[in-house]
Amino acid sequence: ADGGNCGKDTLTKLQQVSIDTTIVCPTILTKTSNMVSTNCNGTLIDDGGNIGNYTANQTSTFLIVPPGSVGIELTFNFFDVESGSTGSICNYDYLEVYDGSNSGGVLLGKYCNNNLPPSKINIATDSVFIVFHSDGGLEEGGFNMEWNGFVKTDTLVTACSSFYWSQTNQNYLVSGIYSDTLHDNVGCDSIVTLNLTLNNSTILGLME
């Protein structure tokens, strides 16, 4: 600061900012956009963010296609999209979910406030296509949706009396079908079913 006849002085303050790179920032579906994500998991929210309403007059799309995925699970944490004109019809604002890479895939649902989505939607293929549309009327709070991709993996194991699955620190002492969690090398956390037969040499099949 320049104090004139009193002289000059400078004060410098340093503040350290720590960024946690393990936290995945949510993806905002910007107005009238056509977006693609190859992330194994993430969060998608409307263009109003977590505290505002979505904007009017838009048709925006979002393609989720994780590499190596054999299934995708959608989880709706929040949903507030203008109701349709009557019954369960969504003809004003709506969110569509397609099994596939575009709107030519199988329509799994068309959702608004009088036809709410289930809390979870499971897609048994490698891609899911989202369409969000709003007209020029009422705009509501929008949506917050998570996705998680699943990977199918096969492995060969040898066991004498037990098989140890390190992810959950669980010992398998008898043959049977178990659930476990596997972290795949492409970065997907995958919930798998183990059809496990214990012999001296065993093929272990991991199936979604």
Side-chain angles (χ1 to χ4, degrees), residues 40-144:
C40 286
N41 49 67
T43 301
L44 179 67
I45 60 178
D46 64 272
D47 65 339
N50 284 322
I51 59 174
N53 294 346
Y54 54 81
T55 58
N57 298 311
Q58 65 169 300
T59 299
S60 307
T61 67
F62 191 73
L63 173 61
I64 303 169
V65 54
S69 175
V70 296
I72 301 170
E73 182 180 74
L74 305 181
T75 302
F76 286 92
N77 300 315
F78 175 80
F79 190 87
D80 182 18
V81 173
E82 180 189 10
S83 297
S85 58
T86 183
S88 60
I89 296 175
C90 299
N91 54 348
Y92 297 149
D93 301 350
Y94 55 81
L95 184 143
E96 293 176 325
V97 179
Y98 290 90
D99 183 348
S101 59
N102 53 54
S103 58
V106 177
L107 178 62
L108 300 178
K110 184 175 183 178
Y111 305 111
C112 60
N113 278 352
N114 55 337
N115 187 36
L116 295 173
S119 59
K120 294 183 182 293
I121 299 175
N122 286 286
I123 296 93
T125 58
D126 63 351
S127 58
V128 59
F129 188 69
I130 306 295
V131 177
F132 180 64
H133 171 82
S134 66
D135 60 13
L138 179 66
E139 289 76 54
E140 301 284 13
F143 62 90
N144 179 305

